[in-house]
Amino acid sequence: MTIVAPPTAAPAQPAPPDAVEARVRALGRHIAAGQAKAGRTRTRVLEDRGMELLARDPALRAALFRLVDVAPATSGRRDLAAHLASLLGEAQAADAPAGGFLRRASVTARSAATGRASGPAVGAVAGLAVHRMATRFIVGEDPADAVPTLAGLWESGAAATVDLLGEATVTTAEADRYARRCDEALRTLARAAQTWPARPTLDVVPRVNLSVKVTALTAKVKAEAPEIGIADASHRLRGLLRTAKAVGAHLHVDMESMASRDLITQLVIDLLGEPEFRTGLSAGIVLQAYLRDADEQLDQLLDGIQQPFTVRLVKGAYWEHETVEARQHGWDSPVYLNKVESDRSFERLTKRLLDHRPHVKVAIASHNVRSIAHALALAPDRDLELQVLRGLGDDLQVALTDMGLRVRTYCPVGDLVAGMSYLVRRLLENTSNDSFLLSRSRGTDLDQLLAKP
Ligand SMILES: Cc1cc2nc3c(=O)[nH]c(=O)nc-3n(C[C@H](O)[C@H](O)[C@H](O)COP(=O)(O)OP(=O)(O)OC[C@H]3O[C@@H](n4cnc5c(N)ncnc54)[C@H](O)[C@@H]3O)c2cc1C
């Protein structure tokens, strides 16, 4: 790994705004150059072409949204491929931008489902293609299966956080099962990570990091009665915090839609306030900058949690869901309606979080080079973590590790059906018109993308 010093000069006093902007641009160009150097394989170029088609074709987007709905009910690769074929078939329209692509995809998916439409070989190839696409985003079917990839990441200078994919939790038995899987994952990963070589940049925090979803730990999430969900999820999350503390791992609580935000925030504050977790535990929560009241949530966390804890700052993955939900109920939208407002909120919260170190350990999770460069410009001491999603942020991961920065890659683990749903969600999220990744792949001028929001 080549360590390249990023172009920053650490000022003793807060830099004037113009100087910060100059540093953001210099850092942004440096990161972008590192991404270009990380290279793009031919497969990757084709996949990116698929994403571009997806961005331009509402019929294809609608088909994939529906696939996410039916995926949990499918019984395996063939069944999933059959559903994909029928949805793509419905979405076919000769004049749609992705018409040709849809026709080919539909035939291929049907072949995968039947194994015979264009010969068995095509079915096998299509099955493999689905598998390949999903494995760009997921690192294994279960934690043990994921260990070689996680060890490889560590070797290359990046840590990971593991997310166990699964079906929606609707019963107590499912919540128990998810908690058991998380517990086993913590133990399996902690055993494996003991043998990994020393990495001074990464070893300042626990090697093992598991991201968990509270809505998978309880079937009783109700926005109007959060105390029921808190009571039900508490004992399962407490058990996981105990295991994390015992094996020396970090436990991170992901943030989901607005319906569970207040419940998750209160649950984390309550549990981290319990005497057994006041010391010796590494844990954290997520702050979503697209929420209009994100500053208030941060105030609540800063007031409520006494020991050092990690905050992962994101923009938020449920923008479409929140806006549709608010419109349907005639509510004011809880999220900003202009992308630039979310970007500004992200930068304001970045500064607030950095100003609260060391009480807060800061993790900036974004694929937007401007957002990352801005955080780095405000933290010349580099005492922060940068997080990317496996499959979407691979070149960014390489560019940032080459700069000697602490990088963590979010690595989903699960079977193909769960992987497909995850994959589709990420594709839809990152092919919306305001997405930084899409703007970059369309060749928007870098200086324009690095401009102050
Ligand atoms: C490591 C990692 C972990 C993550 N964990 C979580 C998590 O726990 N919970 C969660 O919710 N998300 C999570 N995310 C996803 C994250 O919230 C973003 O959806 C995703 O990273 C895209 O944002 P960006 O900064 O990379 O890209 P950008 O392209 O700069 O931003 C896209 C984001 O801007 C916002 N946006 C888009 N259109 C508009 C609009 N019209 N008006 C206002 N805002 C808009 C949305 O939040 C959208 O996702 C995670 C991301 C990463 C990298």
Side-chain angles (χ1 to χ4, degrees), residues 161 211 213 252-257 286-290 312-319 323 335-343 346 364-369 371 386-390 408-410 426 429-430 432-439:
T161 181
S211 289
K213 297 224 165 20
H252 211 91
V253 178
D254 280 356
M255 199 52 83
E256 306 173 57
S257 70
V286 175
L287 189 63
Q288 294 163 318
Y290 68 1
R312 178 199 298 153
L313 180 63
V314 301
K315 289 189 187 126
Y318 304 84
W319 188 85
T323 43
V335 295
Y336 291 114
L337 297 180
N338 291 313
K339 166 77 161 59
V340 73
E341 293 179 290
S342 294
D343 290 337
F346 194 90
I364 300 294
S366 173
H367 300 133
N368 183 321
V369 176
S371 305
L386 301 163
Q387 298 191 350
V388 299
L389 297 176
R390 166 90 176 169
R408 187 173 305 282
T409 300
Y410 189 98
R426 293 289 82 83
E429 181 186 314
N430 286 284
S432 75
N433 272 329
D434 286 319
S435 153
F436 180 91
L437 283 182
L438 186 67
S439 302

Side-chain angles (χ1 to χ4, degrees), residues 22 145 376:
D145 188 30
L376 290 172

Side-chain angles (χ1 to χ4, degrees), residues 61-91:
R61 289 175 70 78
L64 289 182
F65 264 123
R66 288 172 60 197
L67 182 71
V68 176
D69 288 339
V70 297
T74 55
S75 58
R77 190 181 301 187
R78 287 206 161 179
D79 198 16
L80 184 68
H83 278 287
L84 182 60
S86 96
L87 288 173
L88 290 175
E90 282 172 34

Side-chain angles (χ1 to χ4, degrees), residues 76-147:
R77 190 181 301 187
R78 287 206 161 179
D79 198 16
L80 184 68
H83 278 287
L84 182 60
S86 96
L87 288 173
L88 290 175
E90 282 172 34
Q92 270 183 51
D95 57 347
F101 169 79
L102 279 178
R103 264 190 304 282
R104 282 194 300 280
S106 170
V107 168
T108 316
R110 194 164 290 120
S111 307
T114 60
R116 62 185 152 75
S118 319
V122 180
V125 169
L128 214 78
V130 171
H131 187 258
R132 228 196 127 99
M133 191 71 181
T135 50
R136 174 176 152 191
F137 291 78
I138 54 178
V139 291
E141 293 220 345
D142 58 41
D145 188 30
V147 163

